[in-house]
Amino acid sequence: MRSPTVTPQLQRIAAQAAHDADRVFTTLAHLIDEDFLREAYRQTNKSSAAGIDGVTAKQYAEHLDENLRDLHERLRSGCYQAPPVERVWLEKDDGGQRPIGKPTFEDKIVQRAVAMLLEAIYEQDFQDSSYGFRRGRSPHEALHELRERCMTEGIGWIVDADVSGYFDSIDKTWLRDMLRKRVNDGSILRLIGKWLHAGVMEEGVLTHPETGVPQGGVISPVLANLFLHHVLDEWFEREVRPRMKGRCFLMRFADDFVMGCELETDARRIMAVLPKRFARFGLRIHPTKTALIAFRKPGARQDTEDGNGTFDFLGLTHYWTKSRRGCWVIKRKTAGKRIRRTKKSLWRWCRTNRHAPLKDQYQMLCLKLRGHFQYYGIRGNFRMLEGMARYAEKAWRYWLSRRSSKSGIGWEKFRKLLGVYPLPIPKIVHNI
């Protein structure tokens, strides 16, 4: 439950922002008192890894009152210093690496407090086409809306866009200018500036990138959404849509977005102008990963049209097929690269943890599979879920058989083990 003093403050700010779309908020920092920081602490993830100071959430909570008082005093006096973000790298599907930042726990609390204020304001400005990192909105809502609009608005063309290195490419000067249109509180802007310039610590070496916001930071999703709100969402609504001859829409989840167009001419006009629009703000539309796809209902598609008729969005491949009643419908299945990534992750985990107690392995495998089924359990995707369940069994049996030279486990013996430790059964969770 939220603090009884914090909620009315945020509601009041939200009401003011909704009432006056041109209002600039100049006095916000005074709202971040000890109660506000305590609420920010409550909302901060306690399970993530510690930052460069090594302080965990559990250690911080041992003297919570004292720590929050000290933190509030440093914020009030302007003495708070944003520590560098520790950077680690995760492997991507294409063989590249994705940078992830690990802020300190205390810094996460401060970032959460500022994010709460910004969200109260910008939630009133953000377009309905934006779904990523927003309270009360989910990727499955975006998937549902995308499918409905493609089927009901005669959408025949999809602009499937990819922004190269978005979080690392955000121009800090543009970002500050965008912030000042709504938030011009010096203390808040200085805090955000400290985070943008705190630097990145990697293998003991501190660097200060000229562009970008640190991935992994609590404040980063809000700032990233704000940036694309001005670069893409507002531009699409104010300038693109009125110039289109047919129906069109934008669907965005963080930096992952698609545009649907009824007419090929409209789609090609967007494809031509999109790289120029993003380049103006220091961003780059990937030339090979961005594609124009013919996605018209089969039978309505002309023979001269190019395109494979499918596209990926939010980890799912969208395609036209016939329903059991013989009607053409859009269905979704787990995207190939997501399947490969999940299988690779499961295989590595089973190999690394094969000597762990059997019960511990079982509990973690159940968590991994339930998480996969929870996201990809969409109507029409059951066969892909079954395939993942079978692969998990295969990987587990394979690496259990290699715990030692004498521990071979045949399928019959493994079936008996599954009777004691049954893995989760695939199921459809989202009937969309």
Side-chain angles (χ1 to χ4, degrees), residues 180 249 271 311 399:
R180 289 194 183 99
F249 67 81
M271 282 287 289
F311 67 94
W399 287 110

Side-chain angles (χ1 to χ4, degrees), residues 96-226:
Q97 290 185 314
R98 183 190 307 278
I100 298 294
K102 296 194 297 181
T104 64
F105 182 74
E106 184 175 73
D107 201 46
K108 289 180 183 178
I109 296 175
V110 184
Q111 289 191 31
R112 172 57 63 196
V114 174
M116 289 160 59
L117 291 172
L118 295 183
E119 286 170 354
I121 296 170
Y122 287 108
E123 273 299 316
Q124 320 311 315
D125 297 348
F126 289 158
Q127 302 287 341
D128 289 339
S129 57
S130 169
Y131 285 85
F133 305 120
R134 296 179 62 186
R135 294 180 189 271
R137 292 191 155 220
S138 72
H140 295 96
E141 290 178 335
L143 290 167
H144 172 71
E145 182 69 12
L146 172 61
R147 180 180 185 271
E148 291 301 305
R149 298 196 69 169
C150 283
M151 291 184 64
T152 60
E153 296 184 8
I155 298 301
W157 296 84
I158 294 291
V159 178
D160 185 7
D162 183 272
V163 186
S164 298
Y166 173 60
F167 280 83
D168 289 332
S169 303
I170 294 177
D171 187 283
K172 298 174 183 179
T173 302
W174 273 112
L175 179 59
R176 282 192 293 268
D177 291 343
M178 293 172 184
L179 272 167
R180 289 194 183 99
K181 292 181 178 180
R182 270 299 220 175
V183 177
N184 202 17
D185 182 310
S187 297
I188 298 295
L189 293 178
R190 278 192 294 273
L191 265 178
I192 294 175
K194 288 179 180 180
W195 289 318
L196 293 177
H197 296 92
V200 175
M201 184 72 72
E202 187 175 354
E203 297 181 350
V205 179
L206 180 63
T207 58
H208 294 83
E210 295 183 1
T211 61
V213 296
Q215 295 190 50
V218 178
I219 195 70
S220 299
V222 183
L223 298 179
N225 255 346
L226 165 65

Side-chain angles (χ1 to χ4, degrees), residues 229-335:
H229 168 71
H230 287 282
V231 174
L232 178 62
D233 302 353
E234 280 193 333
W235 170 71
F236 183 84
E237 292 298 328
R238 295 181 180 179
E239 299 185 33
V240 176
R241 188 193 296 277
R243 290 177 168 84
M244 298 293 100
K245 296 180 180 180
R247 289 175 289 188
C248 63
F249 67 81
L250 165 68
M251 199 64 56
R252 180 174 71 82
F253 194 95
D255 61 328
D256 191 4
F257 67 92
V258 294
M259 295 178 179
C261 295
E262 186 178 6
L263 304 177
E264 179 183 359
T265 52
D266 289 343
R268 295 198 178 279
R269 289 176 65 192
I270 291 176
M271 282 287 289
V273 75
L274 197 61
K276 301 174 185 177
R277 172 67 182 181
F278 274 65
R280 176 184 171 189
F281 296 91
L283 299 175
R284 179 173 174 265
I285 294 293
H286 200 291
T288 58
K289 293 183 179 180
T290 300
L292 178 59
I293 298 162
F295 196 66
R296 197 176 302 279
K297 182 188 299 186
R301 184 183 302 154
Q302 298 176 6
D303 295 336
T304 57
E305 291 177 356
D306 296 324
N308 58 14
T310 71
F311 67 94
D312 291 351
F313 184 62
L314 297 181
L316 291 151
T317 298
H318 299 66
Y319 63 100
W320 282 98
T321 187
K322 281 192 175 182
S323 68
R324 291 181 179 179
R325 296 181 178 180
C327 302
W328 285 106
V329 296
I330 295 174
K331 289 190 176 182
R332 284 71 52 89
K333 63 181 179 180
T334 312

